[in-house]
Structure formats: structure tokens, C-alpha cells
Amino acid sequence: MAFGSKRKQLDDENDVEETHGDGADADLGNSGDESAEEEDDSADQGSAKAAKPLHDEVVLLDGPKAKNSGGSRPWRCKHCNKKFTSSYTRIRHHFFGPGPGKPPQIGRCSVANDRAKYKKIYDKYHKAEKGQPSGSVPTKPLEKAFAGMERDAVDVQIMMFLCANGIPFNVLRSPQYYEMVAAIQKAPKGYKPPGYEKARTTLLDACKRKVESDLAPVRDTWYTHGVSVVSDGWTNMKNKPLINVMASNSRGSMFLYAEDFSGEEKTGEAIAQFLLQAIEEIGPSNVLQVIPDNASNCKVAGREIRRVHKHIFWSPCVVHTLNLVFKDFAKKFAWMVDTYQTAKVTVKFFRNHQHFLNLFRGNSELDLLKVSKTRFASHYILLKRLMDMREALTTTVVTNKWKELVKSCDGQTRDAANAIAQNIMDEIFWDEVKVILDITKPLYMVIKFSDGEGPKAGDIYEKMDNMLGQIKEVMTKEDNPHRNDWNEVETIIIERWGKMNWSFHCLSFALSPKYYDQAYLATPAPGGGQRKAPNEDTEVIQGVMDALNRIVEDENEFALLREEFNTFIMKKGLFAIAAVQADAATMNAIDWWFNYGSQTPHLNEVAKKVLSQPISSSSAERNWSTYSFIHSVKRNPLNAKTADKLVYIHANERLKRRFSEGYNSGPHYKWDVDPDNSLLEDSSLKLEQLRWASLEDEPAEVEPPRKVRRT
């Protein structure tokens, strides 16, 4: 650049020796040290009192230069009497040289030949450099100490606020915490924080409006991805019945509101009117399904909704339905009940006797779980944990300490302890536990998959089918003592499967492109038999036709969708391209349709919406955990409207933050997950404690059981 070249030329001219120049050393060609010189010059200007010990070794030939002493100045060396015009950097080079590998920019002083004088100047210079770094403003030690004390005092005050109000430390990972501190720092002088009345009234309403505005991108996905209305009931701290409403799709579950049903009978018609109001607020054309509780009154509500909106499916919660399979097993098979009861008694004994429990904990890194009845798959969870701790239990009951504790107990406790020890040492008991775990693990894994938010409608049909095959593989082995019970197990699962939203799941399965991939179809299916593409299964196609017939408004649209569906399954046109088929096996199904669905625009719209739907009411049930956290015993006087606003802000602000860049990395990594929570499985997904005590097992209005689709 011209400006840079001109400045360099002027600097070079100023650095030329005026009188006693050394020819070799006065060669001021391209300087490799200009950046360092400019850095020192800026440092000189930034600190008037900066230590410059080499100024004592020269005579400055001009007067004081205003406030700062930086820049090029004429000077004469006291040792060699040579005159130069340069910056302080060149003075340093004059005495000590330019440094290794750098060309000389100024003549060297003859003091270098006198080792005593040279060392004295050298030590003086470096002593000053260590005490005052170049380019920095000198810091007063007292001021620095007081600043540290002030910061510590602020930190202690924050900790006092957290501890005095029982706020968990995990809140310090929240991005809102840092945003709050930054806002306070920018507040005008004399700022006073809001008081109690303002916070619970106008500010609370302002926060809710802000969250509503921030959720506009989530609401926009309702038009492109569709939405499911998810609902569940609960009783709050004041013993008032509440029913909530969530709008859920692939973007997450947004809490809308909860209504107090005090004084009203929760009939199917009343629940239907409540849900129809939510559907109208969301937009009936955006709603694909309603996922309520599995109770009989909710089934009646589903029929009422279908009369008003033909295209909206009533979908029982998959997790609730599969959990009932465990209950059916317990009712049907005595061998499973006996083993489970023995395991439960073992856990109960240790948890109720502190000395025995302490002895066990000394031998085990894991702790015994007392699984609540409100937890899904409680049978499997309890047996799995007991099997993991078999070695620790066996070690515990053979120690001398165990024997001493048994002798010191009363007769009833002694008998119970001996019975527990006998069960723990019984190989038959552990063999039964292993068999039951092998049989029920596929069922548990499907429950675990289903118990969560997100677009899972496209995979549940195949997972159910694989689950049947996996259980069949286990139960039909020659060494399985319960192989004769396979037919009854199969019947129980198929009957429960028939009570799910079969046609909707068939349509989702048939619109998932990865299940048409030839490499996938060539893999062996669990339980034997050959995998089938969805279009080759008669039952799946029947479900697809039933679902499409409900979605369309007239026969012409139905015919158009059937034609486009044929284009998709036959891989015509765009779908025949090799890259498109390769992406079908690896790409997310929703993304695949966004990329390649333009050839079948009507089916594309249906596919994106259907595949974006959840399959369980877990989001609505977990919402009650938020309610119980906010409307706790400590905050019992809280009225329902205020609690609803607080839950709205709490739940939806976290939903919004999950899509920010800092949520999956950095200091705010998954800040809303408590790191102290222990997991039951080696997985990031923990089955939450959800209520199902009110479920009613009524076979009304369900589809007939279907045969297994495998051949």
C-alpha cells in the first residue's frame, strides 16, 4: 500500500546516523524489526512513566516531548559519543544488537568491548524489564489486591443468595444466569431490582409475552411439519385436577396451558370439548393426531374428535400400551411373578435394615433400587439391577459380618435374613432372572425408545415387528425352560399392538425411505424369515389406504395420493437416481423428503407431517414434573393462573434454548440436565417416573388382532 511505503521511507530517513555513522551499521534497508519498533513506540505513548533504563546511557538532544516520550528523537551515546535519530528500540539495538538472525539497523556501541560496563548496563536493563513488561500500564499492587477482594466479595454474595434460597448450583450453568449478570452490569447508576409485587404481576406477564414471541419459529413448523396434541391429567398440591395440553412435533413439545377441572366431571365429552378448543387454537389443518391418556374417557373423547375432524387420528400412548404387556405377563405366567416377588422381597429387606444395607454397600459400587409402581417397565428395571449386583450380594451373605448381624437380630429378622441368603445363593433363582431378562429386554428397549419426544412414528412399526422376532428367538431355544409359552406371549403382544394407532403407524412406516433399501432388506430379520419392503406387506398397505382415506377431503385427492405413492414405492423419475436411493438409507427421513419430494408434492406434504409426529404422551407427563417443581409444598398458596404462567415460561424457554448453538457444546452444554442424576442403563435416556395408576384396560373400539407379518 502507498501509505505504508511512504511511512517506511520516512522512518528509514530518521534512523540515519547524523555525524559519526558506521558505514556498515548505518545501512537501513528493509527492516525486519519494524513491527517490534512500532509496538515499543505505542507502549511508550501508552505509558508516560514506563521504565526506560537505557535513556540513562544516552543524552537526548531535544527537549521533553509533550506528555509522552515515544517516537524518533535525536540522541548521543555517552559511551561512544555517536549521534543518531531513532526510537527507543534502536537505542536498545545500539547497545545489545538486533538479535539473532536479524540485520543490523544501527551502529553498535563500543561499550561491548568493556565486559564490566556492558554487564552493568545489561543487568540494569533486564531488571527493569522484568519489573515492568513492555507495553503495559503499571499496576499498583494495592489496587490489584483490592480489586481481587471486591470480586471475591461479590462471588460470596452470589453464593449466599443461592444457599439461603435453596437454589441448586446447576443453575450457574444456565445461559440466563450470565445474561442476567451482564444486564445488571449495564444497568444505569442507582438501578434498583424489581420488588415482589412487580415481579409476580407485570414482569411475569412481560416474560410470558417475550417467550411467546421467541417461540414464533417453533409455531411456524406447525404448518410444514404438522403437530400432535398431547394431553394428560394430574392432581396438584391443592388436590385440584388439572389437564394440560402440549403441541408436539419434530421440533419439540411446546406447553400451551393447563386447565383446572375442579367441580367438573371428566367425562369423554368434557375432555373432547377441552381438546377441540386446543385444536382450534392451533389450527385444525395442522393437527394430525391427539395422544391422550389410555383411560376409557379419553377413548370416548377420541371418538368425539373424529366426528368433528375426520382427518385427526386418536393415538393411544405407545409407552402406556407396551407397559401393560408387562402387567399381562405378570398375570399370565406364575414363573415370572414368583421370580419378581422374590427379587422385590430381597431389595425390600436390605432397604429396611440399615446394618445389612451398609454391609452390602461396602461390597458394591451400585445401590439397590426400589422401583416405584409409577415407573414404566419396573419389572425389568428391578431384575436388571439385581442381576448386575449378584456378585456383591453373594459376597455380602458369605462374610463373617453377615453371620454376626444375623445372630444379633430378633427371631423374625433372623428368619428373613436366612431366607434372603438362601435365595441369593440359589442358582435356580438367578437362572430364572436371566431368562426373564432375556425375554423382556426387547420389550424394554422398545419402551425406552418410545418414551421420549421427537419424530418416532416412522420407526415404531418396524421396531415392534423386530421385537416379536427377538423374543421368539429367545423363547424358542431348546434350553429355554419356558419355550412352550411362546404362543401365549405372542398373542399378548399382538393384542396390545392392535390397540395402538395401527393405520397411522403403517402409513409412517410405508413413507420411511430407508425401509426400501435393498441392503437393509437383505439383512436377516430377528426370529427368522425374510424382511419385506412395506409395499410388499398386505397388512401395511391396508393400513396405508385406510390412513390416506381419512386424510383426504375427496376422492380426487385420494386418487392423486395413490398415484404419487406408486411413484415413490416404484422408484420412478427422481426416485430412481442412485444418489437419491443411497441417501434414503442414511439420511433422516424428514430431510430426505424435503430434499427429494418435489416430484410428488402432495405425498411430500403428507410424508413430512406424518413422519414428524411423536408416538407417546411422555412430554405431557413430564410436564407435571415441572408443575410439581414450581407448585411445590413450599409454594402451596400459588394460584393456578400464576403457576400456569410460570410453567409456560420455564418449559418453553428451555425448549427454545435447546436449539441454540451453545446447548450442545461449550460452558452451557445441556445446562438443563442435572449432572448429579444417575442413570439406570448405560444410556443418556432415563425412564422418567410417570403415572399409569389410572389406566383402564378396556378393549372397546379397538382393531382386531393381526397376524405376525413375518413369513
Side-chain angles (χ1 to χ4, degrees), residues 326 369 371 375-386 437 444 680-681 687:
F326 276 106
L369 292 176
V371 183
R375 185 182 292 277
F376 290 129
S378 58
H379 299 74
Y380 178 88
I381 293 171
L382 186 143
L383 292 176
K384 178 66 168 62
R385 175 55 65 90
L386 205 66
L437 288 176
Y444 169 75
L680 298 178
E681 291 289 314
L687 294 178

Side-chain angles (χ1 to χ4, degrees), residues 213-229:
S213 176
D214 293 342
L215 288 174
V218 177
R219 285 193 294 270
D220 290 343
T221 63
W222 296 352
Y223 303 99
T224 56
H225 294 67
V227 70
S228 295
V229 174

Side-chain angles (χ1 to χ4, degrees), residues 230-234 242-246 274 291-294 320 617 620-622 624 691 694:
V230 185
S231 181
D232 188 54
W234 185 64
L242 303 176
I243 298 180
N244 64 4
V245 175
M246 310 282 290
F274 172 71
I291 308 179
D293 202 331
N294 287 25
H320 285 82
S617 60
E621 299 189 14
R622 287 190 176 93
W624 297 128
R691 296 173 177 268
S694 62

Side-chain angles (χ1 to χ4, degrees), residues 509-527:
F509 174 56
L511 292 176
S512 298
K514 64 183 177 182
Y515 295 122
Y516 296 87
D517 179 60
Q518 293 301 317
Y520 174 77
L521 295 175
T523 59

Side-chain angles (χ1 to χ4, degrees), residues 14-178:
N14 289 334
D15 286 341
V16 175
E17 180 184 351
E18 292 184 356
T19 55
H20 304 287
D22 187 333
D25 288 346
D27 181 13
L28 301 180
N30 290 336
S31 172
D33 212 43
E34 279 186 28
S35 60
E37 177 175 346
E38 290 174 3
E39 183 179 343
D40 274 88
D41 291 346
S42 63
D44 294 349
Q45 295 170 2
S47 176
K49 297 182 179 180
K52 299 192 179 208
L54 295 182
H55 277 171
D56 297 336
E57 310 302 324
V58 301
V59 176
L60 298 177
L61 300 179
D62 62 346
K65 201 172 182 181
K67 184 177 180 180
N68 297 322
S69 59
S72 296
R73 302 176 63 180
W75 54 274
R76 177 175 57 81
C77 177
K78 293 181 180 180
H79 301 279
C80 66
N81 291 320
K82 292 181 181 180
K83 294 181 181 180
F84 302 90
T85 299
S86 72
S87 65
Y88 184 76
T89 302
R90 297 289 169 84
I91 296 177
R92 186 176 71 240
H93 291 179
H94 176 65
F95 287 98
F96 307 124
K102 294 183 180 180
Q105 303 293 325
I106 194 168
R108 287 293 301 275
C109 181
S110 59
V111 75
N113 299 324
D114 189 335
R115 291 186 60 84
K117 288 184 178 181
Y118 182 85
K119 188 176 186 306
K120 184 178 178 181
I121 298 172
Y122 183 88
D123 292 341
K124 180 181 178 181
Y125 171 79
H126 281 279
K127 183 178 180 181
E129 286 292 305
K130 290 180 181 178
Q132 176 63 50
S134 176
S136 65
V137 178
T139 304
K140 297 180 180 179
L142 190 60
E143 291 181 359
K144 185 175 181 180
F146 273 112
M149 292 173 63
E150 290 173 358
R151 285 193 294 270
D152 292 343
V154 174
D155 291 346
V156 169
Q157 198 60 46
I158 293 174
M159 279 300 300
M160 288 294 293
F161 172 75
L162 296 177
C163 298
N165 293 277
I167 301 174
F169 298 149
N170 192 49
V171 76
L172 300 182
R173 298 171 59 231
S174 168
Q176 287 95 344
Y177 168 71
Y178 292 92

Side-chain angles (χ1 to χ4, degrees), residues 351 357 360-361 364-369 385 389:
R351 293 183 66 89
L357 181 60
F360 165 76
R361 285 173 173 169
S364 175
E365 295 180 357
L366 299 174
D367 207 352
L368 289 162
L369 292 176
R385 175 55 65 90
M389 298 184 299

Side-chain angles (χ1 to χ4, degrees), residues 269-341:
E269 291 76 12
I271 295 175
Q273 290 302 315
F274 172 71
L275 294 176
L276 284 170
Q277 177 186 348
I279 291 171
E280 290 298 326
E281 293 179 8
I282 295 172
S285 61
N286 300 323
V287 179
L288 274 75
Q289 62 175 346
V290 176
I291 308 179
D293 202 331
N294 287 25
S296 57
N297 54 351
C298 292
K299 296 177 183 179
V300 174
R303 293 197 298 268
E304 293 295 321
I305 292 172
R306 183 173 178 176
R307 290 192 184 102
V308 179
H309 301 291
K310 178 178 75 77
H311 71 281
I312 296 179
F313 294 84
W314 175 79
S315 301
C317 175
V318 170
V319 182
H320 285 82
T321 304
L322 291 177
N323 191 68
L324 293 175
V325 174
F326 276 106
K327 296 180 68 176
D328 293 340
F329 286 171
K331 292 177 183 178
K332 187 69 176 179
F333 306 117
W335 48 271
M336 187 176 291
V337 177
D338 292 343
T339 304
Y340 178 70
Q341 290 297 333

